Amino acid sequence: MAVTIVIGGFFGDEGKGKIVSHLVREDSPSIVARGGVGPNAGHTVKVDGEEFGTRLTPSGFFDEECRLLVGAGTLIDPEVMNQEIEKLDIEDRIGIDKRCGIIEQKHINRDKKDSRLSDEIETTGTGCGPANEDRVARKLKQAKDIPKLKKYLTDVPKEINNAIKNNKDILVEGAQGFGLSLIYGTYPYVTSKDTGASQAACDVGIGPTKIDEVLIVFKAYPTRVGAGPFPTEMTEEEAQEHGVEEYGTVTGRPRRVGKWMKDWAEYAVMVNGATQAAITCIDKYDQRCRGITDYQELTEKAKKFIEKKEREMGVPVTLISTGPRNDETIDLRKEKL
Ligand code: GTP
Ligand code: IMP
Ligand code: MG
């Protein structure tokens, strides 16, 4: 596994939390470090019959040996962070970079009241955009300025680069999706930062020469929450016919659902230098695939779909998710890498 960055390929909610939770269960990495914008994300992890929705905590929290880090590039809402630390009982394992940007109530208010953001872009209303504006204006607080976070503060790049030196396995968990990238996504209908692999590496303080694998996660039926172009979008009736309706983890808003975006997937693989891909929700493409863990047991229909995507993208599809639980996964890394 070495140093692996996990990012989303479409418009977020591809199931990065699910994929990371599978990798943690399988490989027991020493560190899972969160990059990405901030608490606008919602990662769903289903382990041992329990479901967790986290917004800032890395998806390795269920492994008691795993060090959990939040990178300097990521924004923290101290209230959200503290609630998750308490609920997940990770006080002794979480480390927050002292330079993480801090979301305050005024940022949340601005995000919700500014009609450009709330009505036109349809942001998550979590304060991320206004906080990143203040960060650029050089007037944002950092984690080191917040007494309640003091006991968790650390230097994330130092911890990670030390672990790399000692040949430990490290997972970097990105958030959102490449279509929401401020730079490469469907501007202006995007989030407030780049969401690619290079940004995730920067978020946690790893140089480009230290990265071994970039795993890009796609879902069989891409979804999008909020406004913005979605060329393959289905009508609500079509989505219901396919049984693929979804609701947002953070906002509860219905997710718009579409079909696979071929050109975009290939572009995202290219710009992110992906070395492998994961495809989630294959059970939504063909319900007979639910829970399967052996590739040979997939239906011909599903195999054909996956093999076609693999040819088009030119990278191996190493992980196939057949349900939301972390053990509902086909892992082909040994065969394909
Ligand atoms: P962001 O960082 O917010 O983009 O989120 P994410 O990529 O971690 O995804 P999120 O957990 O928000 O959304 C994915 C949804 O699909 C969750 O409800 C998961 O439980 C679910 N899910 C993940 N993989 C599968 C799968 O293979 N099959 C099915 N049916 N559901 C899945
Ligand atoms: P913001 O990041 O809250 O400013 O929202 C900007 C756009 O990105 C909106 O369309 C949001 O719905 C979308 N977005 C931000 N974070 C996520 C995420 O984690 N999953 C899915 N969509 C997101
Ligand atoms: Mg999500």
Side-chain angles (χ1 to χ4, degrees):
M1 185 202 250
V3 182
T4 302
I5 296 183
V6 179
I7 53 156
F10 288 139
F11 297 113
D13 306 321
E14 298 89 355
K16 293 174 288 295
K18 145 76 202 245
I19 291 294
V20 169
S21 70
H22 163 77
L23 294 172
V24 168
R25 172 173 160 270
E26 205 56 34
D27 302 355
S28 311
S30 311
I31 294 175
V32 183
R34 258 304 268 273
V37 179
N40 49 352
H43 290 197
T44 314
V45 171
K46 274 195 177 178
V47 196
D48 299 332
E50 253 194 287
E51 179 172 319
F52 305 89
T54 65
R55 293 168 58 189
L56 286 166
T57 304
S59 301
F61 56 82
F62 58 90
D63 176 347
E64 287 179 9
E65 303 289 305
C66 186
R67 174 78 167 146
L68 308 168
L69 298 174
V70 184
T74 300
L75 296 165
I76 294 222
D77 177 331
E79 212 169 296
V80 172
M81 189 77 257
N82 280 316
Q83 274 171 11
E84 290 187 1
I85 291 172
E86 203 176 304
K87 186 159 175 246
L88 299 168
D89 196 17
I90 50 170
E91 203 179 32
D92 53 343
R93 291 187 288 130
I94 185 109
I96 295 170
D97 193 278
K98 55 195 177 197
R99 293 149 294 197
C100 285
I102 295 298
I103 297 174
E104 295 177 87
Q105 191 57 44
K106 62 180 181 192
H107 300 117
I108 297 173
N109 294 346
R110 257 156 70 193
D111 207 4
K112 288 183 174 160
K113 283 183 191 142
D114 180 331
S115 66
R116 167 73 177 156
L117 296 175
S118 61
D119 300 339
E120 288 181 44
I121 310 285
E122 297 184 350
T123 65
T124 58
T126 52
C128 290
N132 272 336
E133 281 179 36
D134 280 359
R135 196 171 208 174
V136 174
R138 279 143 292 178
K139 54 186 192 195
L140 189 70
K141 281 186 184 151
Q142 293 184 308
K144 64 173 167 47
D145 306 319
I146 308 298
K148 264 191 157 172
L149 296 177
K150 200 161 178 211
K151 56 185 167 198
Y152 310 120
L153 296 186
T154 187
D155 187 308
V156 168
K158 256 194 197 163
E159 282 202 40
I160 297 189
N161 285 282
N162 267 337
I164 294 174
K165 239 188 231 162
N166 293 315
N167 293 318
K168 305 277 192 200
D169 288 335
I170 290 147
L171 260 181
V172 179
E173 179 176 2
Q176 290 77 45
F178 199 53
L180 294 173
S181 163
L182 177 66
I183 298 174
Y184 294 105
T186 52
Y187 189 90
Y189 300 99
V190 291
T191 188
S192 51
K193 206 173 78 176
D194 178 42
T195 52
S198 310
Q199 178 67 60
C202 173
D203 287 340
V204 303
I206 308 180
T209 55
K210 298 286 196 293
I211 292 145
D212 300 292
E213 298 285 341
V214 173
L215 169 61
I216 188 161
V217 184
F218 295 104
K219 68 207 293 195
Y221 288 106
T223 55
R224 175 160 205 166
V225 217
F230 193 173
T232 62
E233 186 168 7
M234 299 182 208
T235 61
E236 241 171 80
E237 293 74 51
E238 258 183 291
Q240 272 165 8
E241 246 169 62
H242 284 84
V244 289
E245 325 91 282
E246 277 188 36
Y247 297 88
T249 319
V250 176
T251 57
R253 294 183 289 184
R255 290 176 179 161
R256 299 157 65 193
V257 187
K259 295 197 175 126
W260 186 271
M261 300 187 293
K262 175 181 178 291
D263 293 347
W264 178 257
E266 290 168 37
Y267 192 74
V269 163
M270 177 184 79
V271 180
N272 288 290
T275 56
Q276 46 179 314
I279 297 182
T280 61
C281 296
I282 207 69
D283 56 304
K284 294 198 172 184
Y285 183 72
D286 184 341
Q287 286 173 12
R288 291 171 295 172
C289 296
R290 177 71 193 254
I292 287 177
T293 55
D294 178 351
Y295 187 79
Q296 293 316 323
E297 285 172 20
L298 285 179
T299 59
E300 282 310 311
K301 180 184 168 192
K303 283 187 200 160
K304 239 172 127 178
F305 177 85
I306 292 159
E307 284 159 22
K308 183 160 179 263
K309 306 305 165 216
E310 190 168 63
R311 275 197 307 278
E312 289 168 357
M313 294 191 289
V315 287
V317 174
T318 52
L319 297 166
I320 298 152
S321 177
T322 59
R325 279 174 23 196
N326 70 341
D327 58 353
E328 294 176 308
T329 314
I330 300 170
D331 191 332
L332 302 170
R333 288 177 296 157
K334 282 201 186 95
E335 286 116 272
K336 295 209 168 178
L337 291 179

